[in-house]
């Protein structure tokens, strides 16, 4: 009898050890995925910034300076990797920092002879107004009857946008008259856009 009881206990333990090891591995995998998820969900994944970027305030002696010379068409790409797991594109982190929005107000790339040539966008700005792109491409995309064009210098940052479904939030650009910022909530990235009417 003692032999059978000992054998039954040994068999039960032998069966429990793999189950325990499997559960331990599952817990470790879940913990790793949670850490990985937290790291990558700092940008995008539906996050909508509560407000647009702050206006830059250059020192008084710089405000009236002549604009810098125009940059070459093939300027070196900028690096926006501020933290591991963040995209190498202008983006907004969960703390509301607009990474990459540091262009000088007098940057010649943003100069428009006729700001708001096609009127002002009026369907709403910020977190209460998430729109879904309904078609187009970087040259001309639309949603809800509003049309936009991505700034040519931001073309590299929209290569992975979905032009028929991505959720977009529009913010006003406080430094560059006539420009808006289109923030992609799926990716957490943004680009400069012109309103086409």
């Amino acid at each position: 009898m003692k032999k059978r009881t000992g054998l039954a206990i040994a068999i039960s333990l032998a069966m429990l050890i793999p189950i325990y090891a499997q559960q331990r591995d599952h817990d470790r995998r879940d913990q790793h995925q949670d850490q990985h998820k937290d790291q990558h969900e700092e940008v995008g994944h539906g996050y909508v910034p509560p407000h647009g970027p702050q206006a830059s305030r250059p020192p008084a002696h710089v405000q009236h300076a002549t604009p810098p010379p125009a940059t070459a068409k093939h300027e070196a790409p900028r690096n926006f990797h501020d933290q591991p797991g963040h995209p190498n594109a202008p983006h907004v982190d969960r703390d509301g920092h607009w990474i990459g929005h540091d262009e000088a107000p007098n940057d010649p790339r943003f100069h428009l002879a006729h700001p708001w040539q096609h009127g002002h966008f009026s369907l709403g700005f910020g977190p209460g107004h998430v729109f879904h792109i309904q078609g187009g491409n970087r040259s001309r995309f639309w949603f809800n009857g509003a049309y936009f064009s991505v700034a040519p210098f931001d073309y590299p940052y929209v290569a992975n946008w979905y032009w028929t479904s991505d959720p977009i939030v529009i913010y006003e650009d406080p430094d560059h008259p006539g420009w808006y910022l289109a923030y992609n909530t799926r990716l957490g990235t943004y680009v400069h856009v012109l309103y086409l009417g």
Side-chain angles (χ1 to χ4, degrees):
M1 182 80 165
K2 282 186 178 185
K3 217 175 190 182
R4 279 198 275 191
T5 304
L7 183 60
I9 291 173
I11 291 173
S12 297
L13 286 175
M15 291 173 58
L16 287 176
I17 290 172
I19 292 171
Y20 172 75
Q22 184 179 13
Q23 182 61 40
R24 188 185 63 202
D25 289 345
H26 187 265
D27 290 346
R28 283 183 186 161
R29 188 171 41 250
D30 285 350
Q31 182 180 9
H32 174 74
Q33 287 175 345
D34 287 346
Q35 289 171 348
H36 186 70
K37 180 180 173 184
D38 291 343
Q39 178 184 23
H40 290 286
E41 284 196 359
E42 290 180 12
V43 175
H45 301 281
Y47 171 73
V48 179
H51 53 77
Q54 298 296 317
S56 65
R57 300 282 183 231
H61 67 279
V62 175
Q63 284 181 339
H64 302 292
T66 57
T71 56
K73 285 190 177 190
H74 301 289
E75 64 184 41
R78 291 182 58 192
N79 185 351
F80 297 97
H81 279 297
D82 61 321
Q83 293 183 34
H86 285 198
N88 191 14
H91 62 278
V92 183
D93 65 24
R94 295 283 172 138
D95 294 329
H97 296 114
W98 288 72
I99 309 302
H101 196 267
D102 52 4
E103 299 91 354
N106 59 355
D107 185 322
R109 296 177 304 162
F110 296 96
H111 175 73
L112 297 173
H114 304 285
W116 300 291
Q117 182 175 0
H118 302 284
H120 292 264
F121 176 70
S122 61
L123 295 179
F125 299 98
H129 305 280
V130 179
F131 304 99
H132 290 269
I133 298 176
Q134 296 171 321
N137 56 39
R138 65 189 189 183
S139 298
R140 184 174 183 251
F141 68 93
W142 61 88
F143 54 81
N144 296 27
Y147 293 80
F148 290 87
S149 177
V150 174
F153 49 83
D154 279 351
Y155 281 0
Y157 311 121
V158 296
N160 53 353
W161 283 31
Y162 298 150
W163 298 106
T164 57
S165 62
D166 262 344
I168 300 296
V169 178
I170 302 295
Y171 295 89
E172 295 178 282
D173 187 330
D175 294 320
H176 308 107
W179 292 93
Y180 295 96
L181 301 169
Y183 172 80
N184 184 316
T185 69
R186 178 178 63 87
L187 300 171
T189 61
Y190 69 90
V191 292
H192 294 86
V193 295
L194 288 175
Y195 178 60
L196 303 177

